[in-house]
Amino acid sequence: YVGSDLELENYLIATGIGGEVFPLPATPATDYLAVVAANVGGGKSDAFVSQTLKLSSEIDADGRIDDFLTITRAHGGQDEADAWYRTTNRSFIKVFTPRGSTLSFGSGAAKVALPPKADPALLVDPDLRAVEETVQKTAIADVEQLEESEKTVFSAWLLVPAGAKKSLDFKYENHLRIALADPPTPYRFVFDRQSGVTTNLDILIKAPPVYQWQESGSALFNYASDDPPGRVVLDLTLQPTRSAGPR
């Protein structure tokens, strides 16, 4: 019964456990990140894989936002008796960013030979087909781009042998511009955590020249957690430093 399903869905969303992708508002200027890893052919190695996300976000004098993301995954199952724990962790990773973001740098992506796609006639789910039709190559080797959940997504493979640690690096620009003419200026950063994934999160946001964050009293604002909640929302305020003259 659809009515009952909608009622349950709204309840889960209201209590913060719905798992929905955060919809980005037009204002305030909002940056967004979600990292989703899917184990494909990596046995049960996820049980011994830990993940660290480090994001450095910098706002320039024109309100342009550049993000540099490092995804590090460590495989600690090398001493396990069962082979399915010791197998190489094969993760297909998708990085969700604000729609319109552009990728300028990437490194660490593995090249994986995939079997031919199934007959397109069998791909009947309209939502899946709509996502598949947006997939395109980027200028970065072995990194693709697609549109999903009203976000621009960068995707790549990361292969981590047992006992090893490997990283993916991405640099991208948010298409939004922060209007700095009328301070104080609100700014929001949202992080959605993948359910069930052990994640260490470290976010560093740098204010534009002659500005500082009201919340930290400096040009830098740092959020770090070894066990972040399902959704992290940072509502911040840019204000001119005392030494800043009229703009």
Side-chain angles (χ1 to χ4, degrees), residues 30-62:
T30 303
D31 206 351
Y32 176 86
L33 175 66
V35 176
V36 178
N39 182 351
V40 183
K44 299 184 182 297
S45 56
D46 273 356
F48 293 93
V49 170
S50 60
Q51 177 175 269
T52 297
L53 306 178
K54 288 190 176 182
L55 181 74
S56 177
S57 184
E58 184 170 343
I59 306 169
D60 70 11
D62 296 321

Side-chain angles (χ1 to χ4, degrees), residues 58-65 174 176-180 208 247:
E58 184 170 343
I59 306 169
D60 70 11
D62 296 321
R64 187 172 64 102
I65 307 169
N174 188 333
L176 295 174
R177 294 291 182 273
I178 299 176
L180 298 171
R247 290 180 60 82

Side-chain angles (χ1 to χ4, degrees), residues 14-15 39 47 49 54 56 116-117 138 143 145 178 189:
T15 54
N39 182 351
V49 170
K54 288 190 176 182
S56 177
K117 289 187 177 181
T138 69
V143 178
Q145 177 178 319
I178 299 176
F189 185 94

Side-chain angles (χ1 to χ4, degrees), residues 162-182:
K165 180 188 294 185
K166 294 290 184 73
S167 295
L168 273 175
D169 293 317
F170 291 117
K171 183 180 180 181
Y172 54 93
E173 179 186 334
N174 188 333
H175 79 290
L176 295 174
R177 294 291 182 273
I178 299 176
L180 298 171
D182 298 313

Side-chain angles (χ1 to χ4, degrees), residues 21 51 63 94 106 108 119 130 155 161 165 167 169 189 201 237 241 243 246:
V21 175
Q51 177 175 269
K94 296 195 294 185
D119 184 343
S155 63
K165 180 188 294 185
S167 295
D169 293 317
F189 185 94
L201 179 64
T237 306
T241 58
S243 59

